[in-house]
Amino acid sequence: MRWKKISDAVIRRLPLYLRVLDELSADPETELISSQDLGFRAGVSPALVRKDLAWFGEFGKQGVGYEVAFLRDELRRILNLDSELKVALVGVGSLGVALTRYNIKRYQEDNSFNLRLAALFDSDPKKIGIQIEGIPVFSIDQIGEKTEELGLQMAIITVPFESAQIITDMLVNAGVRAILNFAPTKLVVPEGVHVANADLSLELQRLAYYLQDEE
Amino acid sequence: MRWKKISDAVIRRLPLYLRVLDELSADPETELISSQDLGFRAGVSPALVRKDLAWFGEFGKQGVGYEVAFLRDELRRILNLDSELKVALVGVGSLGVALTRYNIKRYQEDNSFNLRLAALFDSDPKKIGIQIEGIPVFSIDQIGEKTEELGLQMAIITVPFESAQIITDMLVNAGVRAILNFAPTKLVVPEGVHVANADLSLELQRLAYYLQDEE
């Protein structure tokens, strides 16, 4: 099922709620959570929590709150995280290696973290064939073949901006439909493919806005 | 000056527009840009471009478009990027080092990129005193002292999640008012301090939503 009209701002908050519910699930005593408490822990107002969740159904009971385990399972289903998703990373430079370590650590420590980095790609012959944290590095010429063979669905791009679009085209042609882009450039993708920009410089520039003196 | 009511969604798009205008500034032939063209290059609808910019004044002329150099300067001013801002990074692990390299490369290649990484901090005695890409690594005990001495205004946090809040408290006490957080945890900050979350796992979880079959 797909909820067509839900804005990305809503989707962006769902993983924050899921993180809180995952943490609470560790404690069997906590069966219920109020929108106040969930909002406080996620850094979102209680009214917005209720509004966001109402897009997807009736999860809470007035005056009682949400059932932690139930809401957690529902959010995982809504976010498509109830089964393992395989992720590719293209560009095994220092950022690519750091993100690989980060992802693998996360995947190993958290049973419910279903995003598994399954293949790395690079154009440097010295890197092709090695493994990083146990993940093999393939040639970018193998993107099509390995995407099908390994069932890769998402990709992280950490190549220089000059190569980002051509790598994107290769990934899209291979069937990848969600891309997390760390290259400082805008990627052009066909409809049905989703790009999230994780360009550090854009984030820092945005943050600079908030340094202005309050009146 | 500060425009109180402008939503973060608007602020988030301004650096995208600025990137387009920076690229166009390299070509002295391009003096004007339409909202159509600016929108296309930034990946935003023309109507939204006009609406976003209208929050800050009358920048365009109907039927003519925006003056590239003027709009660029205005956006830099609005985003507080018209003078250099000094940035700290706390947590010199593999992600911290990768982001340091990325930032320094960006700073060296782009004259107008005014976000300068000026100090690194870590708790590991083996790292304190070394330099990475020419940037010194200080002890986290020196956060207060160095923030004042070097005029650090923003910080990037790449420490494990267990230490993220205590590091945040130290930075906030030292006067830092904008934090880019890579640690997978929610940071609690007082009013007037702004946190942007760059947690990779949250971004990937959000993207997974868009993998669902279209109807």
Side-chain angles (χ1 to χ4, degrees):
Chain A
M1 190 154 93
R2 187 168 168 99
W3 300 267
K4 283 264 178 202
K5 288 176 189 167
I6 299 169
S7 87
D8 194 55
V10 176
I11 305 306
R12 193 178 280 277
R13 287 188 289 268
L14 300 184
L16 294 171
Y17 305 146
L18 181 58
R19 185 163 73 189
V20 172
L21 296 164
D22 276 340
E23 284 165 9
L24 289 173
S25 299
D27 170 19
E29 300 275 296
T30 313
E31 287 178 22
L32 292 166
I33 187 167
S34 65
S35 53
Q36 277 78 7
D37 194 12
L38 179 52
F40 176 75
R41 289 166 188 256
V44 173
S45 79
L48 196 52
V49 169
R50 291 191 294 268
K51 211 172 142 194
D52 283 347
L53 296 177
W55 282 101
F56 304 95
E58 288 268 352
F59 297 127
K61 286 170 197 155
Q62 207 158 13
V64 179
Y66 302 99
E67 280 183 47
V68 171
F70 175 71
L71 184 57
R72 173 172 174 265
D73 290 346
E74 288 294 301
L75 283 180
R76 300 188 73 79
R77 190 180 54 76
I78 291 164
L79 284 167
N80 211 21
L81 293 169
D82 42 3
S83 60
E84 189 168 274
L85 292 173
K86 290 194 184 136
V87 183
L89 182 144
V90 190
V92 188
S94 61
L95 184 59
V97 171
L99 295 177
T100 300
R101 287 197 185 132
Y102 176 98
N103 183 282
I104 295 305
K105 186 161 175 268
R106 193 66 210 280
Y107 181 79
Q108 286 168 345
E109 285 174 0
D110 180 354
N111 270 331
S112 61
F113 187 69
N114 271 335
L115 296 155
R116 184 179 159 203
L117 201 52
L120 308 173
F121 296 94
D122 204 282
S123 59
D124 181 351
K126 285 199 290 292
K127 290 175 183 165
I128 297 161
I130 66 168
Q131 294 202 344
I132 291 166
E133 303 286 322
I135 320 296
V137 181
F138 301 109
S139 159
I140 53 166
D141 298 332
Q142 293 171 281
I143 285 177
E145 167 198 341
K146 291 294 169 188
T147 298
E148 201 185 334
E149 185 185 320
L150 302 172
L152 306 172
Q153 294 183 272
M154 305 173 76
I156 301 170
I157 294 188
T158 49
V159 298
F161 78 93
E162 304 87 8
S163 340
Q165 185 62 53
I166 192 162
I167 294 296
T168 301
D169 295 345
M170 292 169 84
L171 289 164
V172 169
N173 284 336
V176 168
R177 278 169 47 217
I179 294 171
L180 183 56
N181 175 36
F182 282 85
T185 189
K186 187 210 152 200
L187 300 177
V188 180
V189 292
E191 209 164 324
V193 177
H194 204 85
V195 174
N197 285 301
D199 178 354
L200 173 73
S201 55
L202 292 180
E203 289 291 330
L204 286 174
Q205 290 181 330
R206 173 166 77 87
L207 267 177
Y209 173 81
Y210 295 98
L211 290 176
Q212 291 164 88
D213 290 328
E214 308 274 346
E215 262 161 35
Chain B
M1 190 153 93
R2 187 167 167 98
W3 300 268
K4 282 265 178 203
K5 286 175 189 168
I6 298 169
S7 87
D8 193 55
V10 176
I11 304 306
R12 194 177 280 276
R13 288 186 290 268
L14 301 184
L16 295 171
Y17 304 147
L18 181 59
R19 185 163 73 189
V20 172
L21 297 164
D22 277 339
E23 283 165 9
L24 289 173
S25 299
D27 171 17
E29 300 275 296
T30 312
E31 287 178 20
L32 292 166
I33 188 168
S34 65
S35 54
Q36 279 77 7
D37 194 12
L38 179 52
F40 176 75
R41 289 165 188 258
V44 173
S45 80
L48 196 52
V49 170
R50 291 191 294 268
K51 211 172 142 192
D52 284 348
L53 296 178
W55 281 101
F56 304 96
E58 288 268 350
F59 297 125
K61 286 170 197 154
Q62 206 156 15
V64 178
Y66 301 99
E67 280 183 47
V68 171
F70 175 72
L71 184 56
R72 174 172 174 267
D73 290 347
E74 288 294 302
L75 283 180
R76 299 187 74 78
R77 190 179 55 76
I78 291 165
L79 283 168
N80 212 21
L81 294 169
D82 42 2
S83 61
E84 189 167 276
L85 292 173
K86 291 196 182 134
V87 182
L89 183 144
V90 190
V92 187
S94 60
L95 184 59
V97 171
L99 294 177
T100 300
R101 289 199 183 130
Y102 176 97
N103 184 281
I104 294 306
K105 186 160 174 267
R106 193 64 211 280
Y107 182 78
Q108 286 168 343
E109 285 174 0
D110 180 354
N111 270 331
S112 62
F113 187 71
N114 271 335
L115 295 155
R116 183 176 161 206
L117 202 52
L120 308 173
F121 295 95
D122 204 282
S123 59
D124 181 351
K126 284 199 291 291
K127 289 176 183 164
I128 296 161
I130 66 167
Q131 294 202 344
I132 291 166
E133 303 285 322
I135 320 295
V137 180
F138 301 110
S139 160
I140 53 168
D141 298 332
Q142 293 172 281
I143 285 178
E145 168 198 341
K146 291 293 169 187
T147 298
E148 200 184 335
E149 185 186 320
L150 301 171
L152 306 172
Q153 293 183 274
M154 305 173 76
I156 302 170
I157 293 188
T158 49
V159 299
F161 79 91
E162 303 87 8
S163 339
Q165 185 62 52
I166 192 162
I167 293 296
T168 300
D169 295 345
M170 294 169 83
L171 288 164
V172 168
N173 284 338
V176 168
R177 277 169 47 217
I179 293 171
L180 182 56
N181 174 35
F182 283 84
T185 189
K186 188 211 150 196
L187 300 177
V188 180
V189 292
E191 209 164 326
V193 177
H194 204 84
V195 174
N197 285 301
D199 177 353
L200 173 73
S201 55
L202 291 180
E203 289 291 330
L204 287 174
Q205 289 181 331
R206 173 166 77 86
L207 267 177
Y209 173 80
Y210 295 98
L211 290 176
Q212 288 163 90
D213 290 326
E214 307 274 346
E215 262 162 35

